[in-house]
Amino acid sequence: MDYLMGVKGPDFVMICSDSAASHSIISIKKDEDKLIPIDSNKLFGVAGEAGDRVNFSEYIIANVKLYALRNNTELSTKAVANFTRGELAKALRKAPYHCHLLLGGYDKSTGPSLYWMDYLGTLTKLNTGGTGYGSMFVLSLFDKLWHPNLTEAEGLDMMKQGIAEVKRRLVTAPSNYIIKIIDANGIRIVKNWDQDV
Amino acid sequence: AAQLFCTSANMSRRYDSRTTIFSPEGRLYQVEYAMEAISNAGAAMGVLAKDGVVLVAEKKITSKLLDTKAVGVRREKMYKLDDHIACAVAGITADANILINICRLAAQQYHLAYQDPIPVEQLVQSVCDTKQGYTQFGGQRPFGVSLLYAGWDEHYGFQLYQSDPSGNYGGWKAAAIGAGHAAANNVLKTEYKEDITLAEAIPLLVKVLSKAMDTSLSADKMEIATMTKDASGKVVHRIFDSAEMQPFIDAANAEKAATGAAAP
């Protein structure tokens, strides 16, 4: 099952996901990028059913882009989070999107923010959060390690410790992961196990 | 009034009855007639100042028999659309009520989706898109209302917009609608200065209104509203009561008497 973890520092948000794409017992690819940019300073980590992941994230991203074109201004991370939550809630009692999402963004005026959403339309703003079997081992570890003045290096170290814990204790732990960071300079890849960045 | 628009007598009558068709000269007569209706209605004008927006309007319904405590009659011209946007209307009051409701709905729908206040221009655009629909399809007449929108948002600060029955809108530093709007706009063109403050804008607008109205000003014949920020940075919409308006009215009436400005 998809592993997603996110961590927020005073001037950055870091999100990690596994990069395995499998179909039952078959591994389709090990370099699937599940951290999808929404615009230059926000991204989605999307976990859940394969078709819904792509369909839903593309739908949200298209609407965010349309807003920016129509109104000559970008939506804030909070606005995108609430809009996304609204779409999940609307679909829930019709044809639910089976996705969990982490939304990380950096706004010039308000700084970094991390939001957690699930397929029911739950939305919450967090300092650390995640989904998947792996997150069961890692959430409490992050509770212990997080502090308000987290540096980027500490954030990366937290992610690495989390991945190590998943590999140690989860029977079907994915082998490869990808970690991205969003800060005042935008989005960049911090570590990609497959490419050893 | 139809005669004024004809090139040959009564030819235009053939193109009047359906709102959604062009005349041979490429005009939409129903839209123009709607604007004519508005130019007979009570004046409204606004000025965008550095530190806020002020709207001033002339009330046409001023009977002694009006129960001014009843909600429906307390406000004739000034309405709040959301916590950060207000408007003044000129034209057919019943039409205005529909549009005001549409504006309020649009503002709340945006807030429901994004948990953020609607940017002022987006609200104006959305109601103008609705107004435009009535000039193109459906066979229904356009709304006989022009609006002045005053608001604040984090993207562009204080803003003043004006929309008319065609669904067109513009952003303005100063604007006037309703009776005498052409003359009022001329005065505003000469008297408006960049970096005008609200404290300067209010007496200016009251003076312009007094020139546009036939009778002398009094508190029961006009409304003043401002859009400002309080000390904590919160956007505040205030409609002046009679006591607050009186000093501005007195000053304008005194100036009118002093300059001997009697409209011929």
PDB file of all heavy atoms in Angstrom, chain B residues 189-226:
ATOM      1  N   LYS B 189     -13.947  64.230 -12.548  1.00  0.00           N
ATOM      2  CA  LYS B 189     -12.724  64.244 -13.361  1.00  0.00           C
ATOM      3  C   LYS B 189     -11.833  65.410 -12.993  1.00  0.00           C
ATOM      4  O   LYS B 189     -10.610  65.285 -12.964  1.00  0.00           O
ATOM      5  CB  LYS B 189     -13.105  64.336 -14.851  1.00  0.00           C
ATOM      6  CG  LYS B 189     -12.680  63.129 -15.663  1.00  0.00           C
ATOM      7  CD  LYS B 189     -12.948  63.307 -17.123  1.00  0.00           C
ATOM      8  CE  LYS B 189     -14.245  62.648 -17.514  1.00  0.00           C
ATOM      9  NZ  LYS B 189     -14.473  62.579 -18.961  1.00  0.00           N
ATOM     10  N   THR B 190     -12.443  66.577 -12.761  1.00  0.00           N
ATOM     11  CA  THR B 190     -11.617  67.745 -12.432  1.00  0.00           C
ATOM     12  C   THR B 190     -11.206  67.747 -10.966  1.00  0.00           C
ATOM     13  O   THR B 190     -10.108  68.170 -10.638  1.00  0.00           O
ATOM     14  CB  THR B 190     -12.364  69.062 -12.731  1.00  0.00           C
ATOM     15  OG1 THR B 190     -13.687  68.955 -12.210  1.00  0.00           O
ATOM     16  CG2 THR B 190     -12.435  69.320 -14.222  1.00  0.00           C
ATOM     17  N   GLU B 191     -12.077  67.268 -10.082  1.00  0.00           N
ATOM     18  CA  GLU B 191     -11.798  67.424  -8.650  1.00  0.00           C
ATOM     19  C   GLU B 191     -11.034  66.254  -8.040  1.00  0.00           C
ATOM     20  O   GLU B 191     -10.419  66.388  -7.001  1.00  0.00           O
ATOM     21  CB  GLU B 191     -13.117  67.591  -7.877  1.00  0.00           C
ATOM     22  CG  GLU B 191     -13.988  68.692  -8.411  1.00  0.00           C
ATOM     23  CD  GLU B 191     -13.915  69.932  -7.528  1.00  0.00           C
ATOM     24  OE1 GLU B 191     -13.282  69.858  -6.457  1.00  0.00           O
ATOM     25  OE2 GLU B 191     -14.483  70.942  -7.919  1.00  0.00           O
ATOM     26  N   TYR B 192     -11.084  65.058  -8.668  1.00  0.00           N
ATOM     27  CA  TYR B 192     -10.382  63.917  -8.088  1.00  0.00           C
ATOM     28  C   TYR B 192      -8.876  64.144  -8.192  1.00  0.00           C
ATOM     29  O   TYR B 192      -8.371  64.589  -9.214  1.00  0.00           O
ATOM     30  CB  TYR B 192     -10.753  62.634  -8.829  1.00  0.00           C
ATOM     31  CG  TYR B 192     -10.027  61.416  -8.310  1.00  0.00           C
ATOM     32  CD1 TYR B 192     -10.538  60.696  -7.234  1.00  0.00           C
ATOM     33  CD2 TYR B 192      -8.831  60.980  -8.882  1.00  0.00           C
ATOM     34  CE1 TYR B 192      -9.881  59.575  -6.741  1.00  0.00           C
ATOM     35  CE2 TYR B 192      -8.174  59.870  -8.395  1.00  0.00           C
ATOM     36  CZ  TYR B 192      -8.698  59.169  -7.325  1.00  0.00           C
ATOM     37  OH  TYR B 192      -8.037  58.062  -6.847  1.00  0.00           O
ATOM     38  N   LYS B 193      -8.154  63.813  -7.117  1.00  0.00           N
ATOM     39  CA  LYS B 193      -6.693  63.828  -7.234  1.00  0.00           C
ATOM     40  C   LYS B 193      -6.141  62.507  -6.730  1.00  0.00           C
ATOM     41  O   LYS B 193      -6.715  61.872  -5.841  1.00  0.00           O
ATOM     42  CB  LYS B 193      -6.085  65.015  -6.478  1.00  0.00           C
ATOM     43  CG  LYS B 193      -6.440  65.121  -5.004  1.00  0.00           C
ATOM     44  CD  LYS B 193      -5.763  66.361  -4.412  1.00  0.00           C
ATOM     45  CE  LYS B 193      -6.192  66.647  -2.989  1.00  0.00           C
ATOM     46  NZ  LYS B 193      -5.824  65.732  -1.937  1.00  0.00           N
ATOM     47  N   GLU B 194      -5.003  62.099  -7.294  1.00  0.00           N
ATOM     48  CA  GLU B 194      -4.345  60.875  -6.852  1.00  0.00           C
ATOM     49  C   GLU B 194      -4.007  61.030  -5.382  1.00  0.00           C
ATOM     50  O   GLU B 194      -3.764  62.121  -4.916  1.00  0.00           O
ATOM     51  CB  GLU B 194      -3.038  60.652  -7.630  1.00  0.00           C
ATOM     52  CG  GLU B 194      -3.215  60.530  -9.138  1.00  0.00           C
ATOM     53  CD  GLU B 194      -3.911  59.230  -9.528  1.00  0.00           C
ATOM     54  OE1 GLU B 194      -3.771  58.240  -8.788  1.00  0.00           O
ATOM     55  OE2 GLU B 194      -4.582  59.223 -10.561  1.00  0.00           O
ATOM     56  N   ASP B 195      -3.960  59.930  -4.661  1.00  0.00           N
ATOM     57  CA  ASP B 195      -3.643  59.953  -3.223  1.00  0.00           C
ATOM     58  C   ASP B 195      -4.683  60.704  -2.406  1.00  0.00           C
ATOM     59  O   ASP B 195      -4.383  61.175  -1.310  1.00  0.00           O
ATOM     60  CB  ASP B 195      -2.275  60.605  -2.954  1.00  0.00           C
ATOM     61  CG  ASP B 195      -1.158  59.738  -3.500  1.00  0.00           C
ATOM     62  OD1 ASP B 195      -1.400  58.542  -3.718  1.00  0.00           O
ATOM     63  OD2 ASP B 195      -0.061  60.260  -3.722  1.00  0.00           O
ATOM     64  N   ILE B 196      -5.900  60.835  -2.929  1.00  0.00           N
ATOM     65  CA  ILE B 196      -6.956  61.447  -2.124  1.00  0.00           C
ATOM     66  C   ILE B 196      -7.217  60.553  -0.918  1.00  0.00           C
ATOM     67  O   ILE B 196      -7.171  59.327  -1.013  1.00  0.00           O
ATOM     68  CB  ILE B 196      -8.243  61.656  -2.973  1.00  0.00           C
ATOM     69  CG1 ILE B 196      -9.212  62.569  -2.238  1.00  0.00           C
ATOM     70  CG2 ILE B 196      -8.896  60.331  -3.318  1.00  0.00           C
ATOM     71  CD1 ILE B 196     -10.393  62.995  -3.080  1.00  0.00           C
ATOM     72  N   THR B 197      -7.469  61.161   0.235  1.00  0.00           N
ATOM     73  CA  THR B 197      -7.784  60.354   1.423  1.00  0.00           C
ATOM     74  C   THR B 197      -9.293  60.292   1.579  1.00  0.00           C
ATOM     75  O   THR B 197     -10.037  61.073   0.988  1.00  0.00           O
ATOM     76  CB  THR B 197      -7.194  60.982   2.688  1.00  0.00           C
ATOM     77  OG1 THR B 197      -7.808  62.267   2.882  1.00  0.00           O
ATOM     78  CG2 THR B 197      -5.693  61.116   2.582  1.00  0.00           C
ATOM     79  N   LEU B 198      -9.738  59.339   2.420  1.00  0.00           N
ATOM     80  CA  LEU B 198     -11.173  59.202   2.653  1.00  0.00           C
ATOM     81  C   LEU B 198     -11.745  60.486   3.244  1.00  0.00           C
ATOM     82  O   LEU B 198     -12.837  60.924   2.870  1.00  0.00           O
ATOM     83  CB  LEU B 198     -11.420  58.030   3.610  1.00  0.00           C
ATOM     84  CG  LEU B 198     -12.771  57.350   3.463  1.00  0.00           C
ATOM     85  CD1 LEU B 198     -12.899  56.685   2.114  1.00  0.00           C
ATOM     86  CD2 LEU B 198     -12.962  56.328   4.568  1.00  0.00           C
ATOM     87  N   ALA B 199     -10.972  61.106   4.130  1.00  0.00           N
ATOM     88  CA  ALA B 199     -11.444  62.329   4.787  1.00  0.00           C
ATOM     89  C   ALA B 199     -11.694  63.436   3.777  1.00  0.00           C
ATOM     90  O   ALA B 199     -12.530  64.313   3.994  1.00  0.00           O
ATOM     91  CB  ALA B 199     -10.415  62.773   5.825  1.00  0.00           C
ATOM     92  N   GLU B 200     -10.925  63.395   2.654  1.00  0.00           N
ATOM     93  CA  GLU B 200     -11.159  64.395   1.602  1.00  0.00           C
ATOM     94  C   GLU B 200     -12.237  63.940   0.635  1.00  0.00           C
ATOM     95  O   GLU B 200     -12.960  64.751   0.043  1.00  0.00           O
ATOM     96  CB  GLU B 200      -9.861  64.616   0.809  1.00  0.00           C
ATOM     97  CG  GLU B 200      -8.733  65.204   1.630  1.00  0.00           C
ATOM     98  CD  GLU B 200      -7.386  65.069   0.927  1.00  0.00           C
ATOM     99  OE1 GLU B 200      -7.117  64.009   0.291  1.00  0.00           O
ATOM    100  OE2 GLU B 200      -6.595  66.006   1.007  1.00  0.00           O
ATOM    101  N   ALA B 201     -12.350  62.625   0.474  1.00  0.00           N
ATOM    102  CA  ALA B 201     -13.261  62.089  -0.536  1.00  0.00           C
ATOM    103  C   ALA B 201     -14.718  62.238  -0.127  1.00  0.00           C
ATOM    104  O   ALA B 201     -15.582  62.484  -0.982  1.00  0.00           O
ATOM    105  CB  ALA B 201     -12.936  60.628  -0.801  1.00  0.00           C
ATOM    106  N   ILE B 202     -15.008  62.076   1.174  1.00  0.00           N
ATOM    107  CA  ILE B 202     -16.413  62.136   1.597  1.00  0.00           C
ATOM    108  C   ILE B 202     -17.021  63.513   1.320  1.00  0.00           C
ATOM    109  O   ILE B 202     -18.066  63.589   0.649  1.00  0.00           O
ATOM    110  CB  ILE B 202     -16.581  61.729   3.079  1.00  0.00           C
ATOM    111  CG1 ILE B 202     -16.038  60.324   3.304  1.00  0.00           C
ATOM    112  CG2 ILE B 202     -18.046  61.798   3.493  1.00  0.00           C
ATOM    113  CD1 ILE B 202     -16.027  59.884   4.755  1.00  0.00           C
ATOM    114  N   PRO B 203     -16.409  64.600   1.763  1.00  0.00           N
ATOM    115  CA  PRO B 203     -17.014  65.897   1.445  1.00  0.00           C
ATOM    116  C   PRO B 203     -17.070  66.173  -0.058  1.00  0.00           C
ATOM    117  O   PRO B 203     -18.018  66.791  -0.545  1.00  0.00           O
ATOM    118  CB  PRO B 203     -16.128  66.918   2.167  1.00  0.00           C
ATOM    119  CG  PRO B 203     -14.949  66.188   2.651  1.00  0.00           C
ATOM    120  CD  PRO B 203     -15.241  64.745   2.652  1.00  0.00           C
ATOM    121  N   LEU B 204     -16.076  65.676  -0.800  1.00  0.00           N
ATOM    122  CA  LEU B 204     -16.092  65.860  -2.254  1.00  0.00           C
ATOM    123  C   LEU B 204     -17.328  65.213  -2.859  1.00  0.00           C
ATOM    124  O   LEU B 204     -18.064  65.825  -3.644  1.00  0.00           O
ATOM    125  CB  LEU B 204     -14.820  65.257  -2.866  1.00  0.00           C
ATOM    126  CG  LEU B 204     -14.830  65.072  -4.392  1.00  0.00           C
ATOM    127  CD1 LEU B 204     -14.988  66.411  -5.100  1.00  0.00           C
ATOM    128  CD2 LEU B 204     -13.567  64.373  -4.862  1.00  0.00           C
ATOM    129  N   LEU B 205     -17.583  63.967  -2.454  1.00  0.00           N
ATOM    130  CA  LEU B 205     -18.721  63.249  -3.023  1.00  0.00           C
ATOM    131  C   LEU B 205     -20.045  63.885  -2.620  1.00  0.00           C
ATOM    132  O   LEU B 205     -20.974  63.977  -3.431  1.00  0.00           O
ATOM    133  CB  LEU B 205     -18.706  61.784  -2.576  1.00  0.00           C
ATOM    134  CG  LEU B 205     -18.111  60.804  -3.551  1.00  0.00           C
ATOM    135  CD1 LEU B 205     -18.346  59.391  -3.066  1.00  0.00           C
ATOM    136  CD2 LEU B 205     -18.720  60.955  -4.920  1.00  0.00           C
ATOM    137  N   VAL B 206     -20.136  64.324  -1.369  1.00  0.00           N
ATOM    138  CA  VAL B 206     -21.390  64.948  -0.914  1.00  0.00           C
ATOM    139  C   VAL B 206     -21.632  66.217  -1.731  1.00  0.00           C
ATOM    140  O   VAL B 206     -22.761  66.508  -2.140  1.00  0.00           O
ATOM    141  CB  VAL B 206     -21.326  65.245   0.597  1.00  0.00           C
ATOM    142  CG1 VAL B 206     -22.567  65.999   1.045  1.00  0.00           C
ATOM    143  CG2 VAL B 206     -21.201  63.956   1.380  1.00  0.00           C
ATOM    144  N   LYS B 207     -20.541  66.938  -2.010  1.00  0.00           N
ATOM    145  CA  LYS B 207     -20.665  68.158  -2.820  1.00  0.00           C
ATOM    146  C   LYS B 207     -21.143  67.806  -4.232  1.00  0.00           C
ATOM    147  O   LYS B 207     -22.034  68.463  -4.782  1.00  0.00           O
ATOM    148  CB  LYS B 207     -19.304  68.857  -2.875  1.00  0.00           C
ATOM    149  CG  LYS B 207     -19.349  70.197  -3.582  1.00  0.00           C
ATOM    150  CD  LYS B 207     -17.999  70.877  -3.559  1.00  0.00           C
ATOM    151  CE  LYS B 207     -17.098  70.341  -4.657  1.00  0.00           C
ATOM    152  NZ  LYS B 207     -15.835  71.121  -4.761  1.00  0.00           N
ATOM    153  N   VAL B 208     -20.556  66.765  -4.826  1.00  0.00           N
ATOM    154  CA  VAL B 208     -20.956  66.372  -6.178  1.00  0.00           C
ATOM    155  C   VAL B 208     -22.408  65.932  -6.186  1.00  0.00           C
ATOM    156  O   VAL B 208     -23.177  66.255  -7.110  1.00  0.00           O
ATOM    157  CB  VAL B 208     -20.039  65.243  -6.699  1.00  0.00           C
ATOM    158  CG1 VAL B 208     -20.500  64.765  -8.054  1.00  0.00           C
ATOM    159  CG2 VAL B 208     -18.612  65.722  -6.780  1.00  0.00           C
ATOM    160  N   LEU B 209     -22.805  65.198  -5.133  1.00  0.00           N
ATOM    161  CA  LEU B 209     -24.192  64.747  -5.066  1.00  0.00           C
ATOM    162  C   LEU B 209     -25.147  65.939  -4.987  1.00  0.00           C
ATOM    163  O   LEU B 209     -26.197  65.960  -5.648  1.00  0.00           O
ATOM    164  CB  LEU B 209     -24.406  63.825  -3.855  1.00  0.00           C
ATOM    165  CG  LEU B 209     -25.818  63.265  -3.738  1.00  0.00           C
ATOM    166  CD1 LEU B 209     -26.092  62.246  -4.824  1.00  0.00           C
ATOM    167  CD2 LEU B 209     -26.041  62.612  -2.377  1.00  0.00           C
ATOM    168  N   SER B 210     -24.759  66.926  -4.208  1.00  0.00           N
ATOM    169  CA  SER B 210     -25.662  68.075  -4.053  1.00  0.00           C
ATOM    170  C   SER B 210     -25.809  68.811  -5.387  1.00  0.00           C
ATOM    171  O   SER B 210     -26.866  69.359  -5.684  1.00  0.00           O
ATOM    172  CB  SER B 210     -25.160  69.011  -2.953  1.00  0.00           C
ATOM    173  OG  SER B 210     -24.156  69.857  -3.443  1.00  0.00           O
ATOM    174  N   LYS B 211     -24.747  68.777  -6.195  1.00  0.00           N
ATOM    175  CA  LYS B 211     -24.858  69.419  -7.516  1.00  0.00           C
ATOM    176  C   LYS B 211     -25.762  68.604  -8.431  1.00  0.00           C
ATOM    177  O   LYS B 211     -26.485  69.141  -9.273  1.00  0.00           O
ATOM    178  CB  LYS B 211     -23.476  69.538  -8.159  1.00  0.00           C
ATOM    179  CG  LYS B 211     -22.629  70.615  -7.569  1.00  0.00           C
ATOM    180  CD  LYS B 211     -21.386  70.899  -8.420  1.00  0.00           C
ATOM    181  CE  LYS B 211     -20.470  71.860  -7.668  1.00  0.00           C
ATOM    182  NZ  LYS B 211     -19.109  71.902  -8.224  1.00  0.00           N
ATOM    183  N   ALA B 212     -25.720  67.268  -8.268  1.00  0.00           N
ATOM    184  CA  ALA B 212     -26.515  66.413  -9.149  1.00  0.00           C
ATOM    185  C   ALA B 212     -27.991  66.405  -8.776  1.00  0.00           C
ATOM    186  O   ALA B 212     -28.852  66.181  -9.628  1.00  0.00           O
ATOM    187  CB  ALA B 212     -25.964  64.984  -9.113  1.00  0.00           C
ATOM    188  N   MET B 213     -28.295  66.647  -7.506  1.00  0.00           N
ATOM    189  CA  MET B 213     -29.696  66.620  -7.074  1.00  0.00           C
ATOM    190  C   MET B 213     -30.348  67.978  -7.278  1.00  0.00           C
ATOM    191  O   MET B 213     -29.714  69.006  -7.111  1.00  0.00           O
ATOM    192  CB  MET B 213     -29.766  66.259  -5.578  1.00  0.00           C
ATOM    193  CG  MET B 213     -29.576  64.775  -5.307  1.00  0.00           C
ATOM    194  SD  MET B 213     -29.313  64.422  -3.562  1.00  0.00           S
ATOM    195  CE  MET B 213     -30.901  64.816  -2.881  1.00  0.00           C
ATOM    196  N   ASP B 214     -31.668  67.984  -7.589  1.00  0.00           N
ATOM    197  CA  ASP B 214     -32.353  69.259  -7.789  1.00  0.00           C
ATOM    198  C   ASP B 214     -32.554  69.962  -6.454  1.00  0.00           C
ATOM    199  O   ASP B 214     -32.361  71.168  -6.333  1.00  0.00           O
ATOM    200  CB  ASP B 214     -33.747  69.059  -8.421  1.00  0.00           C
ATOM    201  CG  ASP B 214     -33.752  67.912  -9.406  1.00  0.00           C
ATOM    202  OD1 ASP B 214     -32.816  67.873 -10.228  1.00  0.00           O
ATOM    203  OD2 ASP B 214     -34.659  67.084  -9.345  1.00  0.00           O
ATOM    204  N   THR B 215     -32.966  69.193  -5.453  1.00  0.00           N
ATOM    205  CA  THR B 215     -33.295  69.811  -4.158  1.00  0.00           C
ATOM    206  C   THR B 215     -32.060  69.867  -3.276  1.00  0.00           C
ATOM    207  O   THR B 215     -31.036  69.255  -3.592  1.00  0.00           O
ATOM    208  CB  THR B 215     -34.375  68.992  -3.442  1.00  0.00           C
ATOM    209  OG1 THR B 215     -33.886  67.658  -3.313  1.00  0.00           O
ATOM    210  CG2 THR B 215     -35.668  68.977  -4.231  1.00  0.00           C
ATOM    211  N   SER B 216     -32.195  70.600  -2.167  1.00  0.00           N
ATOM    212  CA  SER B 216     -31.028  70.675  -1.275  1.00  0.00           C
ATOM    213  C   SER B 216     -30.919  69.377  -0.499  1.00  0.00           C
ATOM    214  O   SER B 216     -31.887  68.640  -0.334  1.00  0.00           O
ATOM    215  CB  SER B 216     -31.160  71.873  -0.335  1.00  0.00           C
ATOM    216  OG  SER B 216     -32.240  71.650   0.530  1.00  0.00           O
ATOM    217  N   LEU B 217     -29.706  69.123  -0.006  1.00  0.00           N
ATOM    218  CA  LEU B 217     -29.446  67.860   0.687  1.00  0.00           C
ATOM    219  C   LEU B 217     -30.105  67.825   2.049  1.00  0.00           C
ATOM    220  O   LEU B 217     -30.181  68.819   2.737  1.00  0.00           O
ATOM    221  CB  LEU B 217     -27.940  67.699   0.881  1.00  0.00           C
ATOM    222  CG  LEU B 217     -27.086  67.471  -0.353  1.00  0.00           C
ATOM    223  CD1 LEU B 217     -25.631  67.357   0.070  1.00  0.00           C
ATOM    224  CD2 LEU B 217     -27.504  66.220  -1.076  1.00  0.00           C
ATOM    225  N   SER B 218     -30.565  66.643   2.417  1.00  0.00           N
ATOM    226  CA  SER B 218     -30.955  66.410   3.814  1.00  0.00           C
ATOM    227  C   SER B 218     -30.761  64.937   4.116  1.00  0.00           C
ATOM    228  O   SER B 218     -30.715  64.103   3.208  1.00  0.00           O
ATOM    229  CB  SER B 218     -32.413  66.817   4.039  1.00  0.00           C
ATOM    230  OG  SER B 218     -33.245  66.016   3.242  1.00  0.00           O
ATOM    231  N   ALA B 219     -30.637  64.638   5.403  1.00  0.00           N
ATOM    232  CA  ALA B 219     -30.246  63.281   5.810  1.00  0.00           C
ATOM    233  C   ALA B 219     -31.261  62.228   5.390  1.00  0.00           C
ATOM    234  O   ALA B 219     -30.897  61.069   5.170  1.00  0.00           O
ATOM    235  CB  ALA B 219     -30.032  63.223   7.314  1.00  0.00           C
ATOM    236  N   ASP B 220     -32.512  62.594   5.238  1.00  0.00           N
ATOM    237  CA  ASP B 220     -33.490  61.566   4.883  1.00  0.00           C
ATOM    238  C   ASP B 220     -33.527  61.315   3.371  1.00  0.00           C
ATOM    239  O   ASP B 220     -34.233  60.425   2.908  1.00  0.00           O
ATOM    240  CB  ASP B 220     -34.880  61.961   5.391  1.00  0.00           C
ATOM    241  CG  ASP B 220     -35.369  63.254   4.772  1.00  0.00           C
ATOM    242  OD1 ASP B 220     -34.521  64.071   4.359  1.00  0.00           O
ATOM    243  OD2 ASP B 220     -36.596  63.466   4.686  1.00  0.00           O
ATOM    244  N   LYS B 221     -32.738  62.106   2.607  1.00  0.00           N
ATOM    245  CA  LYS B 221     -32.778  61.920   1.154  1.00  0.00           C
ATOM    246  C   LYS B 221     -31.508  61.285   0.614  1.00  0.00           C
ATOM    247  O   LYS B 221     -31.335  61.163  -0.598  1.00  0.00           O
ATOM    248  CB  LYS B 221     -32.940  63.287   0.468  1.00  0.00           C
ATOM    249  CG  LYS B 221     -34.331  63.812   0.485  1.00  0.00           C
ATOM    250  CD  LYS B 221     -34.453  65.005  -0.448  1.00  0.00           C
ATOM    251  CE  LYS B 221     -35.488  65.972   0.109  1.00  0.00           C
ATOM    252  NZ  LYS B 221     -35.156  67.369  -0.149  1.00  0.00           N
ATOM    253  N   MET B 222     -30.591  60.910   1.517  1.00  0.00           N
ATOM    254  CA  MET B 222     -29.361  60.347   0.990  1.00  0.00           C
ATOM    255  C   MET B 222     -28.785  59.282   1.915  1.00  0.00           C
ATOM    256  O   MET B 222     -29.211  59.158   3.072  1.00  0.00           O
ATOM    257  CB  MET B 222     -28.330  61.457   0.783  1.00  0.00           C
ATOM    258  CG  MET B 222     -28.037  62.254   2.021  1.00  0.00           C
ATOM    259  SD  MET B 222     -26.967  63.630   1.650  1.00  0.00           S
ATOM    260  CE  MET B 222     -25.398  62.824   1.581  1.00  0.00           C
ATOM    261  N   GLU B 223     -27.850  58.548   1.381  1.00  0.00           N
ATOM    262  CA  GLU B 223     -27.130  57.544   2.169  1.00  0.00           C
ATOM    263  C   GLU B 223     -25.643  57.686   1.890  1.00  0.00           C
ATOM    264  O   GLU B 223     -25.245  57.994   0.769  1.00  0.00           O
ATOM    265  CB  GLU B 223     -27.579  56.119   1.772  1.00  0.00           C
ATOM    266  CG  GLU B 223     -29.001  55.805   2.152  1.00  0.00           C
ATOM    267  CD  GLU B 223     -29.417  54.390   1.751  1.00  0.00           C
ATOM    268  OE1 GLU B 223     -28.532  53.537   1.536  1.00  0.00           O
ATOM    269  OE2 GLU B 223     -30.615  54.149   1.638  1.00  0.00           O
ATOM    270  N   ILE B 224     -24.840  57.488   2.938  1.00  0.00           N
ATOM    271  CA  ILE B 224     -23.380  57.469   2.788  1.00  0.00           C
ATOM    272  C   ILE B 224     -22.874  56.166   3.396  1.00  0.00           C
ATOM    273  O   ILE B 224     -23.315  55.778   4.483  1.00  0.00           O
ATOM    274  CB  ILE B 224     -22.701  58.650   3.516  1.00  0.00           C
ATOM    275  CG1 ILE B 224     -23.262  59.992   3.035  1.00  0.00           C
ATOM    276  CG2 ILE B 224     -21.190  58.604   3.294  1.00  0.00           C
ATOM    277  CD1 ILE B 224     -22.627  61.187   3.735  1.00  0.00           C
ATOM    278  N   ALA B 225     -21.960  55.511   2.688  1.00  0.00           N
ATOM    279  CA  ALA B 225     -21.356  54.295   3.238  1.00  0.00           C
ATOM    280  C   ALA B 225     -19.867  54.314   2.945  1.00  0.00           C
ATOM    281  O   ALA B 225     -19.436  54.843   1.917  1.00  0.00           O
ATOM    282  CB  ALA B 225     -21.992  53.053   2.624  1.00  0.00           C
ATOM    283  N   THR B 226     -19.084  53.742   3.851  1.00  0.00           N
ATOM    284  CA  THR B 226     -17.644  53.667   3.613  1.00  0.00           C
ATOM    285  C   THR B 226     -17.141  52.256   3.818  1.00  0.00           C
ATOM    286  O   THR B 226     -17.728  51.462   4.564  1.00  0.00           O
ATOM    287  CB  THR B 226     -16.844  54.575   4.578  1.00  0.00           C
ATOM    288  OG1 THR B 226     -17.190  54.228   5.926  1.00  0.00           O
ATOM    289  CG2 THR B 226     -17.123  56.038   4.331  1.00  0.00           C
TER     290      THR B 226
END
